């Protein structure tokens, strides 16, 4: 696909994902702020970057995805659904409901298409290190993608894993930080500052890429130029995002970290998202 | 219940459970390419340096980072490996407890978390493993097993290759435990072993405290009291049939363990008995619910009242 067409298709898909997330939160308890911040990233991963096959979710050579910020499960399920893994309508109608496959945190037992169960923060990166190490031992060439929230970097286990990934030369490991600057209680830099985050990862021996995580073109460019999986240095993509991205009354508002939306909020948000995308299309034309 | 052939009294040979474990793990690694050894800067203390020397490509030292070690183990298991992650007991069960619970047990992965130097430790409360079995017993999917004598480690490791679930393997202190059984018994996870038959009372023991249980039964025999000794290496899933059979046959049950009196074998046996409707006398010996003083192991076991002499005293009181 020509690049402009590809970017346009990905933006349309990210718009669809945002509207699906809002629809899901009409009846379910969704971590909407972080899901909206990661919507572009999740779309680019599942529509463009990942080497996965929705018809064969247990294909051994697939890239592995660990959503360490497991509270972002709705964005994960819907991005996977839009890539053909599930029916989007099934996700939207059953998310978080009794005995659902699509729980509020990812669970492999209930949803075997997932690579890892997650939810407790600070667990994803060590497991990703283990998977990447296992892949190297098996001479498998797939990559391992681990998506982290920025607030979750407060957990020391991440930093243990960062040291180990460098020590074990895991060039097949890609960490992506959804750097939306907010955690449950407020601003990450006021609660327990992380900056300079790029310098910290770099000091731990990682390749560091910093991008606008709500810019589809930048995400595509960064993810298209990752080091080869048999290289020896792990890579982190620090994706600077806006929590609640795309809906002005949700952007950077901690109250929308999680919860449901009213019909009025849903309709208002969808109008805004559609108008913004229409304006973008016009500008691109 | 499996019958164990116990060496005659007085012929006990001492061995270091950690040394036997280290050799057995390396042998397991040679036999099966899925086996990975991980440790957290304790390869000499945990005798995994043998594995490192012989199979360096499948040996990983993560540094002093137990949470990371167990998380990495879960990831390796997701790639088809059988990781054996070893460290001192409290760091295994508590520092990395949530990783074992959430990464390994929740995903029902065949990770083997190995805690060494279980029970009270001369190094003091920081290094004593007194809560581990009780904590991990509450984790769904977990198998909890502790060899009651050094050579049993080999049988447990062999059985661990076939077990699809996460396992917590609890090793005793490892400074000269008695070899108790001749090798010719079948070890089965979840099955108790009758180390000594008896008709008047039953001691059920968990881990290397078995040697004290046998000694107590010998002392009681000299007084004309026949004490059955049941060795319960698997705390979970526990052999409830063996417990109930003993309760019906002898009517007197004494439990012994090098673990906090709460949460371990005594609690597990009490749960089975209380729900069964079988009436019997029951007493638990183990570490009282307190942080222990420093001291040698024989001193600590005597001081806190769960050695052979304490078992004899408890049995006499139960039978009086």
């Amino acid at each position: 696909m020509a690049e402009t067409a590809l970017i346009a298709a990905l933006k349309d898909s990210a718009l669809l994902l945002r509207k699906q997330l809002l629809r899901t939160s009409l009846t379910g308890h969704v971590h909407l702020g972080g899901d909206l911040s990661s919507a572009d990233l999740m779309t680019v991963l599942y529509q463009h970057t990942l080497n996965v096959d929705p018809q064969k979710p247990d294909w051994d050579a697939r890239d592995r995805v660990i959503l360490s910020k497991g509270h972002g499960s709705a964005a994960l399920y819907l991005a996977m659904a839009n890539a053909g893994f599930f029916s989007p309508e099934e996700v939207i109608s059953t998310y978080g409901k009794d005995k659902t496959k699509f729980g509020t945190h990812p669970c492999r037992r209930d949803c075997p298409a997932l690579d890892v169960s997650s939810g407790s923060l600070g667990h994803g990166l060590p497991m990703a290190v283990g998977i990447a190490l296992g892949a190297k031992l098996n001479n498998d060439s797939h990559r391992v993608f681990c998506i982290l929230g920025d607030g979750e970097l407060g957990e020391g286990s991440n930093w243990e894993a960062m040291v180990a990934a460098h020590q074990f030369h895991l060039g097949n490991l890609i960490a992506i930080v959804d750097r939306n600057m907010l955690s449950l209680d407020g601003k990450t830099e006021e609660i327990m500052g992380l900056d300079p985050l790029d310098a910290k990862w770099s000091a731990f021996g990682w390749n560091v890429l910093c991008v606008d995580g709500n810019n589809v073109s930048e995400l595509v460019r960064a993810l298209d130029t990752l080091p080869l999986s048999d290289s020896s240095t792990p890579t982190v993509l620090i994706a600077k995002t806006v929590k609640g991205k795309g809906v002005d009354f949700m952007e950077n508002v901690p109250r929308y970290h999680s919860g449901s939306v009213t019909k009025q909020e849903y309709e208002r948000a969808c109008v805004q998202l559609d108008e913004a995308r229409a304006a973008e299309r016009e500008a691109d034309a | 219940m499996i019958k164990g052939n116990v060496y005659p009294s007085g012929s006990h040979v001492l061995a270091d459970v950690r040394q036997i474990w280290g050799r057995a793990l390396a042998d397991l690694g040679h036999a099966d390419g899925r086996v990975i050894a991980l440790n957290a800067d304790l390869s000499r203390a945990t005798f995994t340096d043998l594995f490192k020397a012989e199979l360096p490509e499948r040996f990983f030292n993560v540094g002093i980072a137990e949470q990371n070690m167990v998380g990495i183990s879960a990831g390796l298991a997701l790639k088809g490996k059988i990781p054996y992650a070893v460290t001192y007991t409290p760091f295994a069960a508590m520092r990395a407890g949530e990783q074992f619970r959430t990464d390994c047990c929740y995903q029902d992965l065949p990770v083997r978390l190995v805690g060494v130097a279980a029970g009270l430790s001369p190094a003091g409360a920081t290094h004593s493993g007194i809560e581990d079995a009780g904590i991990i017993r509450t984790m769904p999917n977990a198998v909890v097993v502790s060899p009651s004598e050094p050579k049993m480690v080999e049988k447990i490791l062999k059985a661990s290759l076939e077990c699809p679930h996460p396992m917590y393997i609890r090793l005793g202190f490892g400074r000269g435990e008695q070899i108790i059984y001749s090798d010719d018994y079948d070890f089965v996870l979840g099955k108790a072993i009758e180390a000594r038959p008896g008709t008047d009372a039953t001691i059920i023991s968990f881990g290397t405290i078995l040697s004290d249980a046998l000694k107590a039964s010998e002392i009681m025999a000299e007084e004309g009291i026949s004490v059955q000794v049941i060795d319960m290496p698997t705390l979970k899933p526990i052999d409830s049939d063996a417990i109930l059979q003993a309760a019906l046959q002898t009517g007197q049950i004494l439990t012994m363990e090098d673990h906090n009196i709460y949460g371990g074998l005594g609690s597990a046996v009490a749960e089975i008995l209380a729900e069964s409707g079988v009436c019997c006398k029951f007493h638990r010996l183990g570490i009282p619910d307190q942080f222990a003083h420093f001291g040698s192991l024989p001193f600590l076991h005597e001081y806190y009242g769960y050695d052979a002499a304490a078992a004899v005293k408890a049995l006499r009181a139960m039978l009086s």
Side-chain angles (χ1 to χ4, degrees):
Chain A
M1 198 183 295
E3 194 178 334
T4 46
L6 167 71
I7 300 300
L10 290 171
K11 284 179 176 174
D12 288 343
S13 190
L15 168 68
L16 173 68
L17 175 56
R18 285 196 164 86
K19 289 161 77 174
Q20 289 167 329
L21 285 163
L22 287 160
R23 250 184 82 199
T24 309
S25 57
L26 277 171
T27 53
H29 185 101
V30 177
H31 284 84
L32 202 51
D35 285 353
L36 291 173
S37 71
S38 68
D40 302 293
L41 170 65
M42 299 306 284
T43 298
V44 172
L45 281 175
Y46 274 97
Q47 300 283 327
H48 177 67
T49 305
L50 294 172
N51 187 25
V52 292
D53 183 348
Q55 304 309 314
K56 292 185 291 179
D58 58 351
W59 175 42
D60 201 39
R62 72 190 183 281
D63 286 337
R64 303 303 198 272
V65 177
I66 296 103
L67 183 69
S68 192
K69 47 169 279 189
H71 52 281
S73 64
L76 174 68
Y77 303 138
L78 287 165
M80 291 177 78
N82 293 339
F85 281 88
F86 323 113
S87 142
E89 288 307 313
E90 188 192 355
V91 175
I92 291 166
S93 61
T94 66
Y95 172 83
K97 302 287 191 294
D98 294 348
K99 283 204 86 178
T100 183
K101 269 165 69 176
F102 306 109
T104 49
H105 296 93
C107 175
R108 277 175 69 235
R109 180 197 58 200
D110 300 336
C111 187
L114 301 175
D115 288 321
V116 165
S117 301
S118 60
S120 179
L121 298 175
H123 287 239
L125 198 57
M127 285 195 281
V129 167
I131 296 172
L133 195 57
K136 285 228 161 188
L137 288 170
N138 291 350
N139 290 319
D140 293 342
S141 58
H142 69 74
R143 286 195 174 99
V144 182
F145 291 82
C146 181
I147 301 143
L148 300 130
D150 53 356
E152 96 165 282
L153 293 177
E155 295 285 1
S157 49
N158 289 305
W159 303 85
E160 294 180 6
M162 284 156 66
V163 173
H166 169 71
Q167 183 78 16
F168 298 148
H169 308 296
L170 301 178
N172 54 351
L173 176 60
I174 314 296
I176 302 174
V177 181
D178 181 8
R179 181 72 169 121
N180 60 33
M181 311 296 288
L182 288 177
S183 58
L184 191 63
D185 274 352
K187 295 176 182 171
T188 57
E189 297 315 287
E190 286 177 6
I191 293 165
M192 191 54 68
L194 291 165
D195 280 334
L197 190 56
D198 52 348
K200 285 175 180 161
W201 283 86
S202 183
F204 277 64
W206 288 56
N207 294 320
V208 182
L209 304 172
C210 295
V211 296
D212 176 347
N214 293 126
N215 183 315
V216 166
S217 304
E218 280 195 34
L219 285 167
V220 166
R221 206 171 310 129
L223 291 166
D224 279 356
T225 54
L226 292 173
L228 295 173
S229 69
D230 63 355
S231 61
S232 59
T233 306
T235 295
V236 60
L237 187 69
I238 299 177
K240 181 79 173 58
T241 58
V242 173
K243 201 160 182 173
K245 176 71 182 176
V247 182
D248 65 0
F249 57 92
M250 293 183 181
E251 286 188 2
N252 294 318
V253 179
R255 170 166 90 78
Y256 287 99
H257 175 83
S258 66
S260 299
V261 296
T262 64
K263 196 157 185 296
Q264 289 74 15
E265 284 175 313
Y266 166 73
E267 284 168 356
R268 212 174 124 203
C270 286
V271 168
Q272 268 189 32
L273 288 166
D274 281 331
E275 283 176 358
R277 180 70 193 116
E280 214 172 24
R281 279 195 205 102
E282 208 165 293
D284 290 344
Chain B
M1 196 154 42
I2 297 159
K3 300 278 179 196
N5 296 316
V6 174
Y7 284 125
S9 179
S11 69
H12 294 146
V13 178
L14 298 182
D16 187 326
V17 66
R18 278 189 274 179
Q19 204 160 16
I20 292 180
W21 131 265
R23 181 66 260 156
L25 183 67
D27 290 345
L28 202 70
H30 286 294
D32 194 314
R34 296 172 300 169
V35 171
I36 309 280
L38 296 104
N39 85 88
D41 198 40
L42 288 170
S43 61
R44 281 190 297 121
T46 61
F47 286 90
T48 45
D49 50 355
L50 285 173
F51 195 105
K52 180 185 178 183
E54 295 173 23
L55 296 159
E57 70 286 356
R58 281 189 273 136
F59 172 87
F60 298 99
N61 192 338
V62 302
I64 305 168
E66 293 81 7
Q67 299 176 72
N68 195 33
M69 174 171 71
V70 176
I72 289 174
S73 298
L76 285 164
L78 285 163
K79 285 295 295 180
K81 307 298 182 191
I82 307 180
Y84 291 73
V86 56
T87 183
Y88 282 119
T89 312
F91 318 140
M94 291 184 288
R95 176 64 69 91
E98 198 206 346
Q99 276 73 13
F100 190 63
R101 178 258 191 197
T102 300
D103 304 350
C104 305
C105 294
Y106 181 36
Q107 301 193 86
D108 203 7
L109 298 173
V111 171
R112 282 72 180 95
L113 180 63
V114 184
V116 302
L120 289 185
S121 165
T126 54
H127 287 59
S128 291
I130 66 172
E131 313 89 346
D132 54 317
I135 291 169
I136 297 181
R137 193 166 73 87
T138 62
M139 298 180 185
N141 295 327
V143 171
V144 179
V145 62
S146 183
S148 49
E149 53 111 48
K151 296 286 281 176
M152 192 184 282
V153 176
E154 295 164 351
K155 290 181 184 288
I156 289 175
L157 284 187
K158 205 171 159 193
S160 73
L161 275 184
E162 306 301 324
C163 176
H165 305 294
M167 290 175 70
Y168 175 60
I169 302 174
R170 182 181 206 252
L171 302 184
F173 198 80
R175 297 266 167 83
E177 272 98 9
Q178 290 175 355
I179 293 181
I180 287 170
Y181 298 114
S182 60
D183 263 344
D184 53 351
Y185 70 98
D186 293 322
F187 176 84
V188 181
L189 281 171
K191 288 285 173 204
I193 301 166
E194 187 177 46
R196 180 162 293 151
T199 52
D200 299 326
T202 302
I203 300 175
I204 305 177
S205 79
F206 175 55
T208 50
I209 204 79
L210 173 65
S211 57
D212 284 82
L214 287 166
K215 196 169 164 193
S217 117
E218 284 159 19
I219 294 167
M220 295 303 286
E222 287 165 12
E223 297 176 14
I225 309 287
S226 166
V227 177
Q228 179 191 33
V229 178
I230 294 179
D231 176 9
M232 193 70 77
T234 314
L235 184 62
K236 184 187 176 186
I238 200 160
D239 188 345
S240 50
D241 288 347
I243 295 165
L244 293 177
Q245 211 180 347
L248 287 167
Q249 282 175 3
T250 70
Q252 315 273 341
I253 303 264
L254 175 68
T255 60
M256 292 181 74
E257 61 195 310
D258 194 3
H259 186 278
N260 190 316
I261 199 73
Y262 296 131
L265 174 75
S267 297
V269 172
E271 290 160 13
I272 303 286
L273 291 173
E275 287 187 336
S276 69
V278 175
C279 187
C280 72
K281 277 198 183 174
F282 176 67
H283 190 76
R284 295 171 297 158
L285 290 182
I287 304 166
D289 185 35
Q290 57 186 275
F291 291 108
H293 292 293
F294 290 88
S296 67
L297 289 183
F299 164 77
L300 292 169
H301 293 176
E302 183 193 351
Y303 186 84
Y304 290 105
Y306 60 101
D307 61 356
V312 167
K313 197 174 157 195
L315 285 166
R316 284 181 185 142
M318 289 169 79
L319 291 161
S320 65

